[in-house]
Amino acid sequence: MLTSVACLCARNGRKVSAPVAKLSLFSTVKNSTGTLNLTQHVSRYRSSGLVLTPTPWQLLSARSVSLSAASRGDADPLDSPSAPAGVDPPDRENFGSFSTDMSSRRTFRKTSQYIQDLQHRDEDEDPVRPRRRPGRSNTSYWYFLQCKKLINDNKLQEALDVFARDMLEGERLQPEEYNFTVLIGGCGRAGQLKKAFRLYNDMKKRGLEAIDATYTALFNACAESPSKQAGLQQALKLEQELRRKNYPLSTITYHALLKTHAITNHLQACIHTLREMLQNGHAVTQETFHYLLMGCLKDKQTGFRLALQVWRQMLRSGILPDSKNYNLLLRTARDCGIGDPALASGVLLRPDRQYERERVSRVKSGRKDVIDIDLLERQLFIQPDPHNDSQRDSRGSEEESPIKDSAHLVPVRQIETASLPVDVAGDSAAPNLLDLFEGKRGGVVSLGTVDGASDRLALIGGARGFLEKMAANGLSPDIKTVTLLADTMEPGYQSLQTLLKVSKLHKVKLDVAFFNTAIRRAARAGDLEKAKAVLSVMRQRHVSVDVQTFGSLALGCERQQDGLQLLKDMEEAGLRPNVQVFSALIGRATRRLDFVYLKTMLKSMSTMSVWPNEVIIRQLEFASQYPPNYNQYKSRNNYLLQIDGFRGFYQQWLKDMPAQSAEDDQADTEELNTEAADGLTATQRNQRAAARRYKPRNKDKRSSAAL
């Protein structure tokens, strides 16, 4: 207590009197030796009448001694006068170790009530501390690898979120050029044109320089865009921008530009790009002609003739075609025509004297064949001359002699039975234009009227000659080649057996798309039994049917009984007919003007809740019209008497059934993103769209009934 009083007096600057010190000393523990010794000293000062004024160091020493003695319960560590002389205390050997509890602390912190109050205030308020960056910071190249992995796994949106949320906002890293390039490439393959160019604009705002891979990805995005017009506009703007910068394009970038013009533009734009490519010293490869053949597909009238001319130029350049080139040639034979037969005969069958002279001169000088782009452009885009006969008379005898050999135009499919020259018949059993392009003597004398895809396939040797050409180049057909052959050959069981043998020989696994193509070809030819025979082959090979299989069969259902049986088979197979199946059935019924068949199909659509589209409405409108010269008052036609009953039924059916218009399609497209975000399936989205179309009709009915 004396220590507390002394410290209090020293703090307040006051003196401690002797009686107070004496009273304090008597209240301490009596068995404390240090305290008794201190009392003796104080009583000595009291007898002398002095006032005790302790100094701070004395108070601190007294406090230390008192605490040490009280805690240990030992004698006074100091030399006390009451201790006998010459006798050492029992704790002499531990001298200097009593203050270990005080000296063990190495640091002392200042504290006060204000500091303690601030500490408790911080714990109560719990302020939001700034987010500290983690110890391991990822780099921009690490994010590039992560985005590339997600894009390869078809997770484009997750890759975009990782780039925008984690890299830019979370890590606050500065993106590099390759971060944008990999995302632009992913958007291009997915057909997201706007997103790709938005990333490109963001890249330019950050001051990053684009490379060849970036421009290649942008051109590929233009080619894969669902809107071909928008893709062409963006490609032309980007091409002009590169020309202003005088940026040299690589071969891969030129190929991407060729692909864009082949899909969104026309063949002439591809030729102009090829000219620029050759002027800049780039090599022409198989891929270059691959995109030129794609450009031929844009011309549905003369695309097959253009493809044959491009093929001839490819062979003249010393480039052997690959599997993609052969598949594209089959596509042009299936989808495109040959144009004017006389013009095609003059262009394809007549030997090019100018090319032969230039070729001989290049061989003598030891130079390689170089593409004459101007000559190729003139040959490709030649126009039929109405004054062809007068100009032909003025030509030389060298150019006129090949035309004289073909006095009349004979279809190539009939050349096998026609009388051919002896040398031609001995060279090959089937004529083939591809032999002429290789410098061989082919069996084609002239070109006749080519009506269908099978006729155009016969021009290149048929299925057998085509496969032989592939084998000569060391190529094997794949599933795409076999499917295209099934879509171009004559429909029938014999063609199917030929393709089955080819697939077995080359170990090609046939899928459902191949059989659907064979069924569709047979059904369009009006032979439903052959189409069902193909279906039996599918079951033997354990190939599962789908909705497209029955949609192909529906093209051959001419009678009502066949159509009802088709719907019954779909129900047994666990499939629900869609609008395309009903469109095929209604188209067959409309062609025969079978109104009973039409009523049955319309009732089935109402029962199965299949809403009609624009194609079905157009077919029904055609069926509900009278013939142009039909007068029901002058002549009687029992076959057309049923049209009146069908017209009334059709009008009532239109009021009850919700139809899908162009505005509804646009509304469905706008709400597609929001509904997809809700996790809805395609069937649920169609049901919602049908409900939106059905509600306004019911509202109109209620309002009219109220009136």
Side-chain angles (χ1 to χ4, degrees):
M1 184 175 180
L2 175 62
T3 306
S4 301
V5 173
C7 291
L8 182 62
C9 294
R11 187 182 302 169
N12 295 330
R14 297 181 181 180
K15 297 180 180 180
V16 181
S17 59
V20 175
K22 181 179 180 180
L23 180 62
S24 301
L25 289 173
F26 280 112
S27 63
T28 58
V29 183
K30 294 182 180 182
N31 57 356
S32 179
T33 308
T35 306
L36 293 177
N37 294 333
L38 184 60
T39 304
Q40 295 176 1
H41 289 289
V42 173
S43 60
R44 195 178 301 129
Y45 284 110
R46 180 175 177 270
S47 60
S48 61
L50 297 176
V51 179
L52 179 63
T53 306
T55 61
W57 66 270
Q58 291 177 341
L59 295 175
L60 183 58
S61 300
R63 182 181 180 186
S64 302
V65 172
S66 178
L67 289 175
S68 301
S71 61
R72 299 178 63 88
D74 298 333
D76 190 4
L78 302 175
D79 293 337
S80 175
S82 61
V87 179
D88 294 335
D91 294 333
R92 176 69 65 180
E93 58 184 4
N94 296 328
F95 179 81
S97 62
F98 295 113
S99 61
T100 306
D101 56 346
M102 298 297 296
S103 62
S104 61
R105 296 181 60 186
R106 301 299 182 185
T107 58
F108 299 90
R109 295 181 180 179
K110 295 183 179 180
T111 181
S112 63
Q113 295 181 356
Y114 178 73
I115 296 177
Q116 293 178 358
D117 183 54
L118 288 179
Q119 182 179 0
H120 291 293
R121 186 183 302 174
D122 294 342
E123 294 177 357
D124 295 337
E125 294 179 358
D126 192 14
V128 179
R129 297 179 180 180
R131 182 180 178 182
R132 297 181 62 185
R133 295 181 61 182
R136 179 179 179 273
S137 177
N138 297 318
T139 61
S140 58
Y141 187 75
W142 183 86
Y143 279 103
F144 161 75
L145 296 178
Q146 296 299 315
C147 294
K148 184 179 180 180
K149 181 180 178 181
L150 291 173
I151 291 174
N152 292 335
D153 296 338
N154 295 326
K155 298 178 181 179
L156 176 61
Q157 189 59 42
E158 294 185 15
L160 293 173
D161 294 339
V162 167
F163 174 74
R165 183 185 63 244
D166 298 342
M167 180 179 175
L168 298 183
E169 297 180 2
E171 296 282 350
R172 296 184 179 275
L173 293 176
Q174 179 65 27
E176 299 294 337
E177 166 271 326
Y178 44 78
N179 296 113
F180 286 99
T181 301
V182 68
L183 293 175
I184 292 173
C187 293
R189 288 186 291 272
Q192 298 185 12
L193 179 65
K194 293 183 179 180
K195 187 64 178 178
F197 275 88
R198 192 178 298 118
L199 290 170
Y200 175 62
N201 293 330
D202 189 11
M203 179 180 178
K204 292 191 296 183
K205 290 178 182 178
R206 293 177 181 270
L208 299 175
E209 294 292 336
I211 60 175
D212 290 334
T214 309
Y215 295 122
T216 303
L218 288 172
F219 283 126
N220 187 61
C222 297
E224 299 294 337
S225 174
S227 176
K228 304 305 177 185
Q229 187 65 26
L232 178 60
Q233 292 178 359
Q234 292 290 348
L236 293 177
K237 290 181 181 179
L238 182 61
E239 190 176 1
Q240 293 176 359
E241 178 183 350
L242 294 176
R243 287 178 179 175
R244 288 195 302 267
K245 294 181 179 179
N246 290 327
Y247 186 86
L249 300 181
S250 63
T251 305
I252 300 178
T253 308
Y254 269 116
H255 285 166
L257 182 57
L258 275 174
K259 178 183 177 181
T260 304
H261 285 301
I263 296 177
T264 63
N265 209 349
H266 45 74
L267 181 61
Q268 194 167 5
C270 297
I271 295 298
H272 292 166
T273 305
L274 179 61
R275 176 185 287 105
E276 182 180 352
M277 181 177 176
L278 293 175
Q279 290 175 355
N280 293 331
H282 294 280
V284 177
T285 60
Q286 296 173 344
E287 188 177 0
T288 308
F289 286 96
H290 173 77
Y291 296 122
L292 291 179
L293 291 173
M294 289 178 63
C296 298
L297 286 169
K298 299 293 293 183
D299 193 346
K300 299 301 180 182
Q301 299 295 327
T302 62
F304 184 60
R305 176 180 65 83
L306 297 176
L308 290 176
Q309 291 179 268
V310 171
W311 192 275
R312 181 174 60 183
Q313 182 62 54
M314 177 174 57
L315 296 179
R316 288 177 176 178
S317 302
I319 299 175
L320 296 178
D322 57 358
S323 298
K324 293 182 178 180
N325 298 129
Y326 276 105
N327 291 339
L328 281 172
L329 184 61
L330 281 179
R331 284 186 60 187
T332 55
R334 182 193 64 179
D335 300 334
C336 304
I338 200 171
D340 187 10
L343 179 61
S345 299
V347 172
L348 298 176
L349 304 181
R350 185 178 59 200
D352 194 348
R353 303 296 181 182
Q354 182 179 359
Y355 169 75
E356 292 295 335
R357 288 192 295 267
E358 293 179 355
R359 182 174 178 272
V360 171
S361 62
R362 283 194 297 267
V363 170
K364 291 181 179 179
S365 60
R367 295 178 300 170
K368 296 182 179 180
D369 289 349
V370 181
I371 299 178
D372 191 350
I373 194 65
D374 297 327
L375 178 61
L376 177 62
E377 186 175 7
R378 288 196 303 268
Q379 291 178 351
L380 286 175
F381 306 110
I382 187 173
Q383 298 294 333
D385 194 354
H387 305 287
N388 194 19
D389 297 336
S390 60
Q391 291 183 1
R392 186 178 300 174
D393 296 337
S394 61
R395 292 175 182 172
S397 60
E398 294 180 354
E399 298 181 359
E400 190 176 2
S401 57
I403 306 298
K404 287 182 179 180
D405 295 338
S406 59
H408 59 282
L409 300 178
V410 182
V412 178
R413 191 172 52 179
Q414 301 176 3
I415 291 180
E416 298 179 2
T417 59
S419 59
L420 296 177
V422 178
D423 54 352
V424 174
D427 289 342
S428 61
N432 193 344
L433 281 178
L434 302 182
D435 292 334
L436 292 177
F437 300 158
E438 294 177 358
K440 301 179 182 179
R441 302 193 62 181
V444 180
V445 178
S446 63
L447 302 180
T449 303
V450 182
D451 296 328
S454 58
D455 296 335
R456 292 187 289 269
L457 180 63
L459 283 175
I460 53 179
R464 180 180 177 182
F466 187 83
L467 293 174
E468 288 177 355
K469 287 297 178 184
M470 292 188 66
N473 293 328
L475 302 174
S476 299
D478 53 3
I479 182 60
K480 190 172 183 180
T481 308
V482 178
T483 304
L484 288 171
L485 285 174
D487 210 4
T488 52
M489 293 176 63
E490 284 286 345
Y493 186 75
Q494 184 178 0
S495 300
L496 178 62
Q497 291 299 322
T498 302
L499 294 178
L500 292 179
K501 292 178 182 179
V502 170
S503 62
K504 183 179 180 180
L505 178 62
H506 297 281
K507 297 180 181 181
V508 178
K509 185 178 180 180
L510 301 178
D511 55 358
V512 65
F514 167 78
F515 290 103
N516 291 345
T517 302
I519 291 173
R520 183 169 58 252
R521 288 281 294 174
R524 283 180 176 176
D527 196 343
L528 185 60
E529 296 300 327
K530 291 182 180 179
K532 291 182 178 180
V534 178
L535 186 61
S536 64
V537 175
M538 290 182 63
R539 293 170 181 171
Q540 292 176 2
R541 290 176 170 263
H542 304 287
V543 180
S544 301
V545 298
D546 55 3
V547 180
Q548 284 76 17
T549 306
F550 289 98
S552 302
L553 278 174
L555 295 173
C557 296
E558 300 286 347
R559 299 177 301 175
Q560 177 182 350
Q561 181 181 358
D562 298 334
L564 294 177
Q565 184 64 34
L566 177 70
L567 297 178
K568 184 179 179 181
D569 293 342
M570 291 190 68
E571 184 179 358
E572 293 177 355
L575 300 174
R576 183 176 180 272
N578 55 9
V579 66
Q580 283 77 21
V581 175
F582 279 105
S583 177
L585 294 174
I586 291 174
R588 288 297 171 181
T590 303
R591 182 174 297 182
R592 294 172 56 90
L593 290 179
D594 191 346
F595 298 106
V596 179
Y597 191 5
L598 285 173
K599 287 183 181 180
T600 305
M601 291 297 103
L602 296 183
K603 290 178 182 178
S604 299
M605 290 184 66
S606 302
T607 304
M608 298 180 182
S609 300
V610 179
W611 319 131
N613 57 5
E614 186 178 356
V615 177
I616 293 180
I617 297 299
R618 194 183 304 115
Q619 292 172 345
L620 294 175
E621 289 290 335
F622 173 77
S624 62
Q625 293 179 359
Y626 288 107
N629 299 326
Y630 174 69
N631 190 348
Q632 59 181 343
Y633 300 105
K634 291 184 179 180
S635 61
R636 180 180 179 85
N637 191 340
N638 295 328
Y639 187 75
L640 293 175
L641 287 178
Q642 301 176 6
I643 194 172
D644 295 327
F646 174 75
R647 288 167 64 93
F649 176 81
Y650 171 59
Q651 295 298 328
Q652 185 63 33
W653 181 82
L654 279 179
K655 294 179 181 179
D656 297 336
M657 291 289 291
Q660 188 172 0
S661 60
E663 291 79 6
D664 297 330
D665 292 338
Q666 185 177 2
D668 295 341
T669 304
E670 293 175 354
E671 298 185 4
L672 182 62
N673 296 330
T674 58
E675 292 179 353
D678 297 337
L680 299 178
T681 61
T683 305
Q684 293 174 343
R685 288 195 294 269
N686 293 336
Q687 292 176 356
R688 283 193 176 186
R692 288 193 300 268
R693 294 189 294 269
Y694 189 69
K695 287 179 181 179
R697 291 181 179 270
N698 290 340
K699 184 177 180 181
D700 296 339
K701 289 181 181 179
R702 287 194 298 268
S703 60
S704 61
L707 294 176

